[in-house]
Amino acid sequence: MHELPSLADEIVEILRSRIPGFSTFLSGGHREKIRWEIERAVLSALDDGFPAADGGHGSDGQTARPPGGAVRSPAASSPHHPTGAAAPGTGPGRGGLDGLDGLDGFQAGGLGRDLARHELFAALTFDPPVSEELSARLARRAGWPLPEQVRAVVLPEPHEVGLPEEVTGDVLHGHTRDQQVLLIPDPAPDPELRPALLTALRGHHAAVGHTVLLREAAASVRWARRLLDLAPAQSGPDAAVFFVDDHLSTLLLLQDETLLRALGTRWLHPLAGLTPRQSERLEVTLLAWLEGGGAPEAAKALKVHPQTVHYRLRQLEKLFGCALRDPRSRLELELTLHSRRLMAQMRNLRCRTGRRTRAAGAAFRQLGVGREARVNGR
């Protein structure tokens, strides 16, 4: 049922065009909930027509439904799933497995398999994870053997992407909000998998998550989505594929910008009385000194005379005092300065979305202190 999200979007647009005031309701943040409720209604309607496993009739000769009721769509509202879905089989008034009792043998051709895989995807990407027993039942229905590990690939919108099955295996497809997600089972080592993904995803803006245990699949999806949000959107030949493994420290430091600003306020307040140019020079020097471990290394990185670094370090000593000799304070200062550099980098990225892919990709490399020294006029 890969066409289900686009069908739901089409229905939403029809409602918007025909019902006065519906657009205002959509702009209030309800679009996703409405779309997923429509998906649930469509799946429920399709489910009404499914025959039972015994040929469509129960023991009393009446047309049968799957035991436990309709196959549940992952569209039931919950804030814990990236799609806004409730954990499969855990709707109001139902235990985690109540709606699945007896469904292991239920199939309805290709449609039943698609529905089962749709439900399995929702279960595996649910946070917190559903029980292993529930995952196993859904996997049997979907015909998708549960792997030990998975790796997510996220694209900003649905695309026909053909991944080489000999490398990626039987990929599980799904959606989180408006984004397409592929779960690669038991992914091959990066040196083998990365070239195959780069070839298959050429021309697509995409992010590849890190390899995780199956019960942590939601984390691989979440960080790939976060990287996609940070990366400059490109299309056509300029589109780029980004890998979470290449940007772990960036993602870690940028997961909450409000905390980073609070960190800056706490540790960099001694610089508040300086001019922006003076403050920037001292910040760059302090970071180079913390990274390099000494004045000579900082001078080499900044491409300035060692005496210039010594002069600035004396200024920093007066401003920060004993904090520069305390290991914990030095660590927090280095984290603060790194995060400020990354936030400035992100601001620059948002202003340069028209640049070519190589510029976008290069922007994710941490800026070198030599580059920052040139910004300072050195």
Side-chain angles (χ1 to χ4, degrees), residues 225-247:
R225 292 184 63 240
R226 175 60 173 155
L227 182 57
L228 202 63
D229 289 341
L230 292 172
Q234 303 284 332
S235 59
D238 288 341
V241 179
F242 297 95
F243 290 78
V244 165
D245 286 345
D246 296 339
H247 308 289

Side-chain angles (χ1 to χ4, degrees), residues 19 36 43 45 131 142 148 181 198 222 230 252 263 291 293 331:
I19 300 177
W36 281 96
L43 288 171
S131 69
E148 291 185 8
V181 179
L198 288 172
R222 180 173 65 253
L230 292 172
L252 182 63
L263 198 63
E291 288 179 329
L331 173 61

Side-chain angles (χ1 to χ4, degrees), residues 90-333:
T90 58
R94 301 173 65 178
L97 293 171
D98 292 347
L100 294 168
D101 291 341
L103 284 181
D104 292 341
F106 173 73
Q107 289 294 333
L111 180 59
R113 182 173 180 272
D114 280 344
L115 291 173
R117 289 172 74 98
H118 187 70
E119 189 88 342
L120 176 61
F121 173 84
L124 296 180
T125 56
F126 192 78
D127 190 13
V130 301
S131 69
E132 292 183 6
E133 185 180 0
L134 176 55
S135 296
R137 288 200 177 195
L138 291 168
R140 283 195 295 271
R141 289 173 50 212
W144 198 74
L146 290 178
E148 291 185 8
Q149 296 180 315
V150 292
R151 191 172 187 179
V153 179
V154 178
L155 297 96
E157 54 190 29
H159 290 287
E160 288 296 328
V161 177
L163 298 184
E165 192 167 337
E166 65 276 10
V167 179
T168 62
D170 183 12
V171 173
L172 188 65
H173 294 251
H175 293 84
T176 61
R177 298 172 189 167
D178 288 330
Q179 295 173 324
Q180 180 178 357
V181 179
L182 316 175
L183 285 183
I184 300 173
D186 287 326
D190 197 66
E192 179 183 352
L193 181 60
R194 184 177 293 223
L197 290 178
L198 288 172
T199 299
L201 297 170
R202 184 177 294 127
H204 297 292
H205 181 49
V208 181
H210 56 314
T211 299
V212 297
L213 295 174
L214 180 63
R215 66 176 180 272
E216 299 167 341
S220 187
V221 175
R222 180 173 65 253
W223 288 113
R225 292 184 63 240
R226 175 60 173 155
L227 182 57
L228 202 63
D229 289 341
L230 292 172
Q234 303 284 332
S235 59
D238 288 341
V241 179
F242 297 95
F243 290 78
V244 165
D245 286 345
D246 296 339
H247 308 289
L248 294 172
S249 60
T250 298
L251 290 167
L252 182 63
L253 285 173
L254 291 180
Q255 59 182 308
D256 192 322
E257 292 191 15
T258 62
L259 287 179
L260 295 180
R261 287 193 291 270
L263 198 63
T265 300
R266 177 183 178 186
W267 285 106
L268 300 182
H269 66 86
L271 303 177
L274 305 179
T275 67
R277 186 177 182 83
Q278 290 172 329
S279 176
E280 187 179 6
R281 284 181 174 177
L282 290 183
E283 283 187 39
V284 170
T285 302
L286 179 56
L287 182 56
W289 178 68
L290 290 168
E291 288 179 329
E297 292 81 4
K300 184 177 180 180
L302 294 170
K303 295 181 174 59
V304 298
H305 195 279
Q307 287 301 323
T308 301
V309 172
H310 283 294
Y311 171 72
R312 294 180 185 175
L313 288 175
R314 285 193 294 271
Q315 290 180 292
L316 290 165
E317 179 73 28
K318 291 178 182 178
L319 292 167
F320 289 92
C322 61
L324 297 184
R325 295 186 292 275
D326 177 64
R328 180 172 179 177
S329 298
R330 286 163 59 117
L331 173 61
E332 295 212 17
L333 274 168

